Amino acid sequence: MRLIAIAVILIGLVLVSLRLLPGSPFESSAAAKWGDAGTSDRPTGSGTDRSARQPSAPSPSPSPSLEPLPFAAKNLDLDIEGWYAWSVLDRRTGKIIGSKNMDETSTTASMIKAWIVADYLRRAADAGQTPSDAKLADATRIIRDSDNTRAEQFYNLVGRDASIKRLISMCELTDSSVAPDKGWSRTALSPRDTARMGNCIATGTAAGPKWTKWLLNEMKLVRGGGDFGIRKAFPAAEQKKIAIKNGWIDRTREQEMHINCLAIGDTWTMGVMVKYPINMGYDYGMKNCEKITEALLRTGT
């Protein structure tokens, strides 16, 4: 009998051990819940569970709000004869605002010269060439003084229509088109694509990393008859920081004046275009380019 009692006691001890052994088919629910003694999920002496002991994740910092552009999106109703349209691109976000007709096109006239010079400089750098001092002086005359003869020479150097096709492709224009065999002046651009072209210049895509700063500086130094429009709406101190290239031409075939304005600021680019009867002269359009900009500027700019 004593042997039987001892055997029963031993069997009982074995069964108890098996209930406490993790992974055993006789494992107790408590042992199954907490697993191996080495896991960090084991309850602490204080009775708190793991989630209560974990430090809370820091709240994400709010994104800093951007300073508003100097322009406000408005529907303009100005006393201007003929057609006009405008567009502004936020260089920080890529967002574009503009008139309802900002996708309509007009002929660029001299405004396109900013691209022609950029295209020439980028292609020279890509070919491992440095333009001569004489060529850079020519480029200066094209930008600052809107020299037509030198612009035509550069247009030939960059392949004429092929250059405008590169503009549309590289600057991701959506509204504009080449005027086949009709010259740079007849290129069709919209105000929206004008702003995009300005951003293409500002980011370095147009002229390339080597020449972008040089080109933007030349555009800030536009002088004489080409110095009108968008930047004239800003205070004098601000005007010096704004790069521009404008276009103006009398289209006898259409009996229209085509006046175009491109401006590049620190955080924005802008395109303004106007068309009106040819007998009203250049000055009317040049002043209206400025007038449209003034109407869009935020109070206090």
Side-chain angles (χ1 to χ4, degrees):
M1 291 294 293
R2 291 184 62 187
L3 290 174
I4 293 173
I6 292 171
V8 169
I9 292 171
L10 290 174
I11 291 171
L13 290 174
V14 169
L15 290 174
V16 170
S17 299
L18 288 173
R19 285 176 59 81
L20 295 175
L21 181 65
S24 165
F26 298 97
E27 180 184 7
S28 70
S29 59
K33 181 177 180 181
W34 301 118
D36 293 335
T39 63
S40 59
D41 286 332
R42 192 82 179 258
T44 64
S46 63
T48 58
D49 62 19
R50 185 183 185 190
S51 61
R53 292 184 286 110
Q54 292 296 314
S56 58
S59 301
S61 300
S63 300
S65 57
L66 297 174
E67 287 290 325
L69 295 180
F71 309 96
K74 300 177 184 178
N75 290 321
L76 300 182
D77 185 15
L78 303 176
D79 184 19
I80 294 177
E81 186 78 19
W83 171 91
Y84 66 91
W86 64 274
S87 184
V88 172
L89 183 149
D90 188 331
R91 290 179 53 197
R92 303 163 299 182
T93 65
K95 181 180 178 181
I96 296 175
I97 60 173
S99 56
K100 292 180 180 179
N101 59 347
M102 66 179 173
D103 61 338
E104 296 178 11
T105 63
S106 184
T107 64
T108 62
S110 293
M111 187 175 69
I112 200 68
K113 292 172 182 173
W115 165 259
I116 294 171
V117 171
D119 198 28
Y120 168 79
L121 293 171
R122 186 197 68 260
R123 285 164 59 83
D126 288 348
Q129 301 169 355
T130 299
S132 65
D133 290 343
K135 277 289 180 233
L136 289 178
D138 286 344
T140 290
R141 291 286 299 276
I142 294 169
I143 298 298
R144 296 192 198 183
D145 303 316
S146 208
D147 187 291
N148 286 334
T149 300
R150 289 173 172 82
E152 185 69 16
Q153 293 169 354
F154 272 53
Y155 194 52
N156 288 329
L157 290 172
V158 294
R160 300 187 68 80
D161 290 353
S163 178
I164 305 304
K165 291 177 182 178
R166 284 192 294 272
L167 162 65
I168 293 170
S169 175
M170 293 180 64
C171 298
E172 300 181 352
L173 309 188
T174 59
D175 315 318
S176 304
S177 60
V178 180
D181 302 320
K182 294 181 180 178
W184 48 264
S185 177
R186 282 275 177 183
T187 301
L189 234 63
S190 66
R192 178 166 64 181
D193 279 353
T194 297
R196 287 168 172 158
M197 182 176 74
N199 189 53
C200 191
I201 292 171
T203 60
T205 299
K210 183 175 182 179
W211 293 105
T212 294
K213 184 177 180 180
W214 183 91
L215 177 57
L216 286 170
N217 185 64
E218 291 300 310
M219 293 173 71
K220 291 174 183 177
L221 297 173
V222 167
R223 57 198 175 193
D227 186 11
F228 63 86
I230 295 170
R231 75 175 175 188
K232 290 293 186 181
F234 286 79
E238 287 293 313
Q239 292 181 27
K240 298 176 182 179
K241 303 175 185 178
I242 298 173
I244 65 168
K245 190 70 192 86
N246 298 321
W248 60 105
I249 194 166
D250 52 337
R251 296 290 185 200
T252 54
R253 188 172 72 192
E254 294 90 343
Q255 285 296 292
E256 292 176 338
M257 300 295 300
H258 292 190
I259 309 295
N260 310 302
C261 299
L262 163 66
I264 302 171
D266 288 339
T267 58
W268 54 269
T269 61
M270 185 177 191
V272 179
M273 300 178 123
V274 297
K275 293 188 283 192
Y276 54 91
I278 196 169
N279 61 359
M280 299 181 73
Y282 291 111
D283 197 51
Y284 181 77
M286 293 173 173
K287 287 183 176 178
N288 279 326
C289 198
E290 180 180 346
K291 180 179 180 179
I292 291 166
T293 308
E294 285 177 344
L296 295 167
L297 287 178
R298 295 180 186 276
T299 304
T301 300

